[in-house]
Amino acid sequence: MTTKLFGTKVPRVEDQRFLRGKGRYVDDVLVGTHAGTLHAAVLRSPHAHARIVDIDVEAVLSLDGVHSVWTYDDLAGAMAEPLPLLIPHPALTHGRTQYALAKDEVNYVGEAIAFVVADDRYIAEDAVDRIRVDYEFLPPVVGIDAARAATHLVHDDVPGNVGARMEQKNGDAPAAIAAAPRKLSLDLTIERSSCQPMEGRGVVARWDPDVGRLTVWSSTQTSTGVRGCIAARLGLDLANVDVVTPDVGGGFGVKINHPWPEELLVPMAARVLGRPVKFTEDRREHFISSAHERGQVHHVEVGFDDDGRVLGLDVQFWHDHGAYSPYGLIVPIITATQLLGPYKPGAYRVVFESLFTNTVMVTPYRGAGRPQGCFVMERTMDAIAAELGLDRAAVRATNFIQPDEFPYDHGLVFQDGRELEYDSGDYPASLEKIKALIGWDDFPALKAEAAKEGRRLGIGLACYVEGTGVGPYEGAHVHVETSGKVKVAIGLTTQGQGHATVFAQIVADELGVPIEDVEVVSGDTRKMPYAVGTFASRAAVMSGSAVHLAAKATKAKALRIAAEALEADVEDLEISDGLVRVRGTDTTLALGTVAVLSNPLRYAFDEASKLATQFVVGDPGKPPVAKDDEPGLEGRDFYSPQRATFASGMHAVIVETDPDTAEITIVRYAVVHDCGKIINPMIVEGQIHGGVAQGVGGALYERMEYDESGQLQNASFMDFLMPYVTEVPSTIEIDHLETPSPLNPLGIKGAGEAGVIPGSAAIAAAIEDAEGITITAMPISPSELHALRLTKETR
């Protein structure tokens, strides 16, 4: 009998291929001289803010091996228009996007100016170096403080550098704070950082003039989005553009933005030149021209009572969205709404301004605004506890939404335009689990013992709620082959989340087949042309639900066909181990045979197909394919939620700070996580481990260091610090809580971003506990901690 797989630790089916070096990435597509592939390179601005006076490409055109060079003046039609503003919003009053190649002005170091295609990348890079550009320098605006001062403007037509101002509220927060018996103010900062996937961006395109069809391979998180943009800008019918996403070496959000200039320029060049064209981003290009995130400054006013209960919360913050805003206001809206976490403030108001700066644009990075919001809320909770002399966990418990209060409506609008309504959770139970896991109640004694040895230990706690599974929809197609193998197509792309395993588990359970017989294909518009993308912890909820529904439809059809063939009642049939069986008997029919019978044939082309020919099957009194039926044993369905589902979790950490060097060492790290029903605990735990590593990086190491002229000072792995295996906790203690979501058929919630969200908040709290110094900005380095110590000593 087939063992149920949902909820079990099934090893990842995709891993063996990767471990043996058989992954196939964009740069592996159309390689070799036989492919005739040309290679592209991009001239990028060396200045943060300048007018382009003149571009001279004459020296390039005579270089042997160069096929073409484009500047803005060579673009026409829709290609000459600004790149799309992907997510418009009424509050985004001054949205701005760049051109595929800079027109008149550059607004950050790394902006694309010219595009060269040559026989190989070496020649293309040499050609780029020969292009001469005359600039008229303009004063750059770098950082939130400079943007707010507005002494200079990034865009002349954007007053005060303010792209958007948005306010949301529930109740009268200022009045509630004024009337509260206790009040606090805090100023908190999270610095700009970026995701650095092992594989940078890449795109390859091939034009087939015989059929007028374009095939594009892109390392993207949204193959259907890239397809739509290419078709629109190149004036092609959508049906004549195929976008395939092969293996992707990490995404983390940077590859959800689309189209990047190269995703339009490469297909354009392939079509014009009649040869395949490839662009592969190098690491420096990724640093200076791909998206960043995180940078925000917050001012908090909070009113509370003597028990630590929040009566009013008023937050104003400033979000650095860089030189352009293609992804709209998604990041600051998430910060504004997810800041509330598992708590219910008596009244809440949040106001943010999204500001232009002459730096790389901002789009979501794993967590997408939530780490900033969590940092603000959890630092506020710790400040309240310190003010009152109360246990930090107790103050949190006082403010929790209770299990019997779900669904809980915050009275705000979430990033998907729907109400911010939590569907399920049990935050008090999670708190008890995390306290037990980290040894919260026993820590004071441990700290005291360490102090006797001259060691400084501190403990921190952070709670969060994460909106997951946002719409609008995802789909799936399940097809049973005549061999009995099952092919599953989803529109999502995959960047290491284990999609080929978890979705195969769902199908194997529903269809009663061995998981080895299920193959999942993702990110190929030829297989699933309707999809949205992989982001916002939505894959399991969205595609998982769609896969479940499609498999269910396939099963229903299989049972109906088998019932006719076996002259049995559908209710008497079951599917197990790939066999349809009449319960209580030895009568069976292989699922592959059912697939044969599902497709009435005129011609027998093999032994199996003989079973489906016209003189073998069918009722002469009925049409071979019924009116409401179609050939094939397959199912296709879509899942579209009314609103997001909300996962939650809590992290606790013990750190040690060196009294002499101020080095910060993580001693223990614990996580409690609630993502509803868990499909595969091993994969969820893997996601958490990876997220914690990124959270540690965001708390202690990773930042984008711009100087006042807008030059990125640490645009390499020599200078951009990331945690090594020596800095990431070797053991992360994990416990799960399952509060099923009522919003989807599987009761699941997302898990992909969980591990990273509370990292900075928890580690800041632990450092503060160890040092007795208030921590208000992250990331924090040993030198910064040392400076804080000196400041404390001089007070």
Side-chain angles (χ1 to χ4, degrees):
M1 298 293 287
T2 303
T3 303
K4 281 291 181 183
L5 299 172
F6 192 110
T8 62
K9 292 186 174 184
V10 176
R12 286 167 40 119
V13 302
E14 53 268 76
D15 283 353
Q16 290 303 313
R17 183 166 59 87
F18 292 123
L19 290 171
R20 285 170 168 75
K22 296 186 180 299
R24 187 169 183 265
Y25 302 88
V26 166
D27 201 47
D28 297 319
V29 173
L30 298 183
V31 296
T33 55
H34 66 280
T37 304
L38 303 176
H39 295 261
V42 179
L43 173 66
R44 303 189 184 278
S45 172
H47 307 294
H49 201 192
R51 288 193 182 91
I52 298 173
V53 177
D54 183 59
I55 305 176
D56 184 358
V57 299
E58 285 299 319
V60 175
L61 299 177
S62 60
L63 187 64
D64 188 38
V66 170
H67 289 257
S68 192
V69 57
W70 282 268
T71 66
Y72 174 79
D73 290 340
D74 300 306
L75 304 179
M79 282 293 295
E81 298 174 1
L83 298 181
L85 178 58
L86 294 170
I87 307 178
H89 190 282
L92 185 56
T93 53
H94 295 80
R96 297 292 181 271
T97 61
Q98 68 188 86
Y99 293 86
L101 294 171
K103 177 188 179 185
D104 302 329
E105 184 174 307
V106 290
N107 285 297
Y108 64 93
V109 172
E111 186 163 358
I113 296 175
F115 183 75
V116 175
V117 177
D119 284 339
D120 58 46
R121 180 65 180 258
Y122 301 100
I123 296 173
E125 293 281 3
D126 288 345
V128 162
D129 288 341
R130 294 190 178 200
I131 299 173
R132 295 292 173 258
V133 184
D134 292 332
Y135 299 96
E136 176 188 336
F137 302 120
L138 299 170
V141 178
V142 182
I144 289 174
D145 289 344
R148 290 179 64 190
T151 304
H152 305 291
L153 298 179
V154 176
H155 303 289
D156 290 340
D157 58 346
V158 181
N161 293 312
V162 179
R165 183 184 186 278
M166 186 175 177
E167 176 177 340
Q168 290 203 64
K169 61 183 179 180
N170 187 2
D172 190 340
I177 295 168
R182 303 267 192 157
K183 305 174 187 63
L184 278 175
S185 297
L186 297 89
D187 291 293
L188 302 162
T189 301
I190 293 282
E191 294 187 30
R192 175 184 276 241
S193 185
S194 77
C195 44
Q196 294 292 329
M198 287 191 290
E199 179 202 30
R201 297 183 294 107
V203 59
V204 180
R206 179 175 62 196
W207 172 254
D208 187 339
D210 293 334
V211 295
R213 194 171 194 87
L214 181 69
T215 303
V216 178
W217 294 263
S218 179
S219 183
T220 180
Q221 293 175 236
T222 171
S223 52
T224 53
V226 171
R227 179 194 191 207
C229 291
I230 290 172
R233 293 305 169 106
L234 296 188
L236 296 170
D237 291 340
L238 194 63
N240 289 339
V241 179
D242 298 320
V243 173
V244 181
T245 300
D247 294 323
V248 176
F252 307 114
V254 70
K255 294 175 183 176
I256 188 62
N257 187 70
H258 63 280
W260 292 98
E262 298 84 4
E263 285 176 320
L264 297 178
L265 295 168
V266 168
M268 177 195 73
R271 189 181 181 192
V272 169
L273 299 174
R275 296 265 299 275
V277 176
K278 175 183 292 187
F279 166 78
T280 303
E281 179 185 66
D282 65 35
R283 184 55 56 182
R284 177 168 172 77
E285 284 182 298
H286 188 84
F287 270 105
I288 67 170
S289 64
S290 293
H292 298 168
E293 213 240 87
R294 299 291 193 253
Q296 291 180 1
V297 173
H298 295 250
H299 178 73
V300 180
E301 300 282 344
V302 61
F304 51 98
D305 64 19
D306 291 338
D307 294 323
R309 182 173 289 103
V310 175
L311 304 175
L313 181 65
D314 197 359
V315 178
Q316 184 173 11
F317 72 93
W318 295 268
H319 172 74
D320 178 355
H321 67 217
Y324 301 105
S325 53
Y327 218 76
L329 301 178
I330 293 300
V331 172
I333 288 174
I334 292 175
T335 299
T337 52
Q338 298 275 256
L339 182 150
L340 294 172
Y343 312 113
K344 46 179 180 180
Y348 177 56
R349 181 179 71 170
V350 60
V351 180
F352 70 76
E353 288 183 343
S354 197
L355 305 172
F356 286 108
T357 60
N358 288 116
T359 55
V360 176
M361 66 186 180
V362 164
T363 66
Y365 166 29
R366 192 177 189 179
R370 296 177 186 88
Q372 301 95 307
C374 181
F375 181 74
V376 170
M377 192 74 232
E378 295 303 294
R379 293 279 66 211
T380 300
M381 286 292 168
D382 287 338
I384 291 171
E387 179 74 10
L388 297 173
L390 297 176
D391 179 81
R392 289 170 285 167
V395 169
R396 286 167 168 81
T398 297
N399 288 281
F400 279 156
I401 299 164
Q402 297 302 306
D404 61 357
E405 294 181 287
F406 291 98
Y408 188 87
D409 190 347
H410 275 293
L412 305 174
V413 178
F414 192 43
Q415 60 139 319
D416 56 358
R418 305 300 176 93
E419 61 273 16
L420 184 71
E421 182 177 293
Y422 295 176
D423 49 324
S424 66
D426 190 339
Y427 309 137
S430 290
L431 182 62
E432 291 309 307
K433 280 179 174 286
I434 196 70
K435 287 174 64 179
L437 208 58
I438 199 68
W440 183 269
D441 293 335
D442 298 329
F443 180 74
L446 179 67
K447 181 177 181 178
E449 284 299 314
K452 292 178 184 178
E453 303 170 1
R455 299 169 58 213
R456 299 181 185 181
L457 295 184
I459 193 169
L461 169 69
C463 312
Y464 70 94
V465 172
E466 178 196 2
T468 73
V470 295
Y473 72 91
E474 286 298 337
H477 179 256
V478 175
H479 176 231
V480 180
E481 298 277 359
T482 56
S483 64
K485 302 287 187 181
V486 182
K487 306 292 186 181
V488 181
I490 58 172
L492 289 180
T493 63
T494 185
Q495 302 96 48
Q497 298 93 332
H499 292 167
T501 302
V502 294
F503 298 139
Q505 286 180 250
I506 293 171
V507 172
D509 273 359
E510 189 62 41
L511 282 182
V513 298
I515 192 170
E516 297 81 8
D517 288 348
V518 182
E519 178 188 349
V520 179
V521 176
S522 62
D524 187 337
T525 62
R526 298 169 300 183
K527 304 289 181 66
M528 177 51 68
Y530 298 103
V532 179
T534 305
F535 57 94
S537 300
R538 68 191 299 271
V541 176
M542 300 299 299
S543 278
S545 295
V547 165
H548 168 74
L549 294 172
K552 196 171 178 125
T554 306
K555 179 181 180 179
K557 185 171 185 178
L559 292 176
R560 174 171 55 80
I561 294 170
E564 291 180 7
L566 297 172
E567 298 181 345
D569 193 285
V570 168
E571 299 300 321
D572 294 332
L573 301 181
E574 62 183 2
I575 308 177
S576 179
D577 293 324
L579 297 173
V580 183
R581 184 185 310 274
V582 180
R583 287 191 178 92
T585 75
D586 293 329
T587 304
T588 63
L589 192 64
L591 197 59
T593 303
V594 178
V596 172
L597 297 176
S598 71
N599 182 23
L601 297 173
R602 181 174 180 83
Y603 305 110
F605 45 79
D606 60 16
E607 289 300 313
S609 63
K610 290 179 182 179
L611 297 174
T613 53
Q614 56 196 340
F615 293 109
V616 178
V617 298
D619 184 341
K622 298 178 182 178
V625 179
K627 180 179 180 182
D628 297 324
D629 203 358
E630 57 185 34
L633 183 52
E634 56 190 308
R636 177 170 165 164
D637 213 331
F638 292 84
Y639 172 70
S640 182
Q642 189 170 2
R643 59 181 180 275
T645 184
F646 288 84
S648 63
M650 299 179 189
H651 289 205
V653 60
I654 296 173
V655 305
E656 181 170 353
T657 57
D658 190 285
D660 299 317
T661 66
E663 288 288 338
I664 301 159
T665 303
I666 295 173
V667 178
R668 287 183 66 188
Y669 205 105
V671 176
V672 171
H673 184 248
D674 176 7
C675 60
K677 300 293 289 183
I678 298 175
I679 303 172
N680 187 321
M682 184 174 66
I683 286 180
V684 170
E685 289 172 10
Q687 289 277 19
I688 290 171
H689 277 255
V692 167
Q694 284 185 296
V696 170
L700 301 177
Y701 303 102
E702 299 171 8
R703 69 181 84 199
M704 295 287 102
E705 292 279 9
Y706 278 98
D707 67 13
E708 61 184 11
S709 66
Q711 296 289 335
L712 187 58
Q713 299 297 291
N714 59 337
S716 75
F717 283 162
M718 291 289 289
D719 304 301
F720 177 78
L721 299 181
M722 293 184 292
Y724 296 160
V725 68
T726 49
E727 283 79 47
V728 176
S730 58
T731 300
I732 300 170
E733 301 164 72
I734 300 174
D735 197 0
H736 299 287
L737 186 72
E738 290 188 341
T739 62
S741 173
L743 301 181
N744 61 73
L746 297 174
I748 54 181
K749 305 174 186 177
E753 297 173 280
V756 73
I757 294 170
S760 287
I763 292 171
I767 296 170
E768 183 171 291
D769 185 50
E771 293 284 330
I773 299 172
T774 302
I775 306 297
T776 60
M778 297 297 270
I780 186 169
S781 66
S783 59
E784 287 164 327
L785 179 56
H786 179 69
L788 288 174
R789 287 175 176 175
L790 293 178
T791 301
K792 179 185 177 183
E793 291 171 2
T794 58
R795 285 177 182 170

